[in-house]
């Protein structure tokens, strides 16, 4: 079996499917992702939350260019309502998670 990926910086498509399935299996109220990158795994996690109509994904990306790319990807996938994108984490952010 060969793995397939969108590009050399993203998770493989099969890993993205697994992440969505994991969300559906575990039914978390909160997910915290460190290192949003291009947002491929973020989309997969958020898609699981949307399918359940519950939960919130906090994803942290300190690189502004990657942050913008991920935000655009989430907007195009119509998943922004399930995700809180942050570039820094404050104590207030942690308390709201």
């Amino acid at each position: 079996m060969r793995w397939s990926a969108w590009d050399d910086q993203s998770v493989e498509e099969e890993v993205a499917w697994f992440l969505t399935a994991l969300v559906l299996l575990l039914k978390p109220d909160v997910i915290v992702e460190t290192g949003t990158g291009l947002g491929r795994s973020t989309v997969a996690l958020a898609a699981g939350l949307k399918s359940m109509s519950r939960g919130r994904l906090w994803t942290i990306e300190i690189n502004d260019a990657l942050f913008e790319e991920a935000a655009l990807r989430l907007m195009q996938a119509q998943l922004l309502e399930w995700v809180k994108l942050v570039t820094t984490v404050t104590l207030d952010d942690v308390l709201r998670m």
Side-chain angles (χ1 to χ4, degrees), residues 3-15:
W3 295 92
S4 54
W6 292 278
D7 54 62
D8 63 353
Q9 295 182 17
S10 298
V11 299
E12 290 82 5
E13 293 177 52
E14 296 82 2
V15 172

Side-chain angles (χ1 to χ4, degrees), residues 6 38-40 43 46-47 50 67-83 85:
W6 292 278
L38 296 172
R40 300 285 188 184
V43 166
K50 181 179 180 179
F67 180 90
E68 294 300 324
E69 177 76 23
L72 178 61
R73 182 163 279 117
L74 287 161
M75 184 179 68
Q76 291 170 338
Q78 299 179 344
L79 293 169
L80 277 175
E81 74 176 277
W82 304 101
V83 180
L85 280 156

Side-chain angles (χ1 to χ4, degrees), residues 56-73:
R56 186 77 163 163
L57 168 59
W58 287 74
T59 185
I60 305 154
E61 179 54 63
I62 61 172
N63 180 301
D64 291 336
L66 292 176
F67 180 90
E68 294 300 324
E69 177 76 23
L72 178 61
R73 182 163 279 117

Side-chain angles (χ1 to χ4, degrees), residues 17-61:
W17 298 335
F18 173 75
L19 291 172
T20 301
L22 194 60
V23 170
L24 294 172
L25 176 69
L26 297 177
K27 298 176 178 28
D29 291 322
V30 177
I31 301 170
V32 178
E33 176 185 45
T34 58
T36 311
L38 296 172
R40 300 285 188 184
S41 59
T42 311
V43 166
L45 293 166
L49 295 175
K50 181 179 180 179
S51 292
M52 297 187 314
S53 298
R54 63 176 267 198
R56 186 77 163 163
L57 168 59
W58 287 74
T59 185
I60 305 154
E61 179 54 63

